[in-house]
Amino acid sequence: LMQIAQTCSCRSCFSIPRPEDAKRRGIPEHKSTFVFSSGRDALKSVAEPLGIWNWVFVSPSQDPDDPKLIAGGNGSVDEMKQCYAEHPKDMLFGFLRMGFGEGRLRRTKYVFVQATGTQVSAVTRGRLGEARAKMEQALSLFASFSVAVEALQPEELTLEIVVDRVRRAAAVD
């Protein structure tokens, strides 16, 4: 159970809780059940092979070691896509964990996602595009990425597209 913070207006995302909202509360139609207070904590969870969250969106912050947490959850690519669609004015940098196989044959692959909102201007896109290298470097401290995916509209962020990119970039058992 948890509550959405004031920093995010979309209904499908989890955002940074305000200290007074630290109680756990449920969100209708949302699969995720845990909130992190920092980008670093959320990224650590996604980096764990069986962590609570399997995706997170962050944005650059003043502290390169702790990016600003935008949203995250455990609903994989579909939930990530829904969150992306509800942030058309933002450029989001994501970290996605995908598991392939079971038991001893299980392999975990990590995906770096750059999702540019459909309403982001060309000037802003260019300025924020420069942040990609810094964000890739910051997120790579948590896990090594198998592949990077860039989406310019929500329809470009689907499970089929991401799995295909991972398969082409790495041997999936």
Side-chain angles (χ1 to χ4, degrees):
L1 302 170
M2 65 170 252
Q3 183 172 6
I4 294 177
Q6 297 292 336
T7 58
C8 183
S9 62
C10 78
R11 293 189 36 192
S12 69
C13 297
F14 286 137
S15 295
I16 306 166
R18 297 175 303 195
E20 63 269 19
D21 294 334
K23 300 178 207 166
R24 297 173 121 187
R25 298 190 185 180
I27 295 178
E29 300 178 27
H30 207 286
K31 299 175 187 175
S32 301
T33 59
F34 195 83
V35 176
F36 296 95
S37 61
S38 73
R40 174 181 275 292
D41 291 341
L43 289 164
K44 282 181 184 178
S45 176
V46 176
E48 293 175 13
L50 298 173
I52 295 170
W53 278 2
N54 62 12
W55 70 272
V56 65
F57 272 133
V58 295
S59 66
S61 71
Q62 297 296 331
D63 180 1
D65 293 331
D66 191 13
K68 179 183 174 192
L69 176 61
I70 302 297
N74 65 6
S76 196
V77 178
D78 292 334
E79 193 174 80
M80 192 177 213
K81 176 182 176 179
Q82 182 180 0
C83 179
Y84 170 34
E86 294 178 2
H87 288 87
K89 296 180 180 179
D90 300 318
M91 180 175 286
L92 307 172
F93 295 96
F95 185 36
L96 172 67
R97 181 186 68 237
M98 302 184 81
F100 297 90
E102 294 181 27
R104 293 182 320 156
L105 299 177
R106 181 174 175 80
R107 300 292 180 260
T108 302
K109 305 295 179 185
Y110 296 96
V111 180
F112 175 83
V113 178
Q114 179 181 344
T116 305
T118 55
Q119 296 177 17
V120 174
S121 71
V123 172
T124 303
R125 204 175 335 187
R127 185 173 45 83
L128 291 174
E130 294 176 4
R132 178 182 171 145
K134 290 179 184 175
M135 291 302 294
E136 275 190 75
Q137 183 179 13
L139 273 59
S140 71
L141 297 176
F142 296 92
S144 297
F145 303 115
S146 298
V147 67
V149 173
E150 185 173 347
L152 298 175
Q153 51 190 338
E155 296 77 30
E156 296 176 359
L157 188 60
T158 65
L159 181 60
E160 294 78 20
I161 290 171
V162 174
V163 168
D164 181 60
R165 294 285 306 275
V166 171
R167 280 195 176 127
R168 284 192 278 145
V172 177
D173 297 326

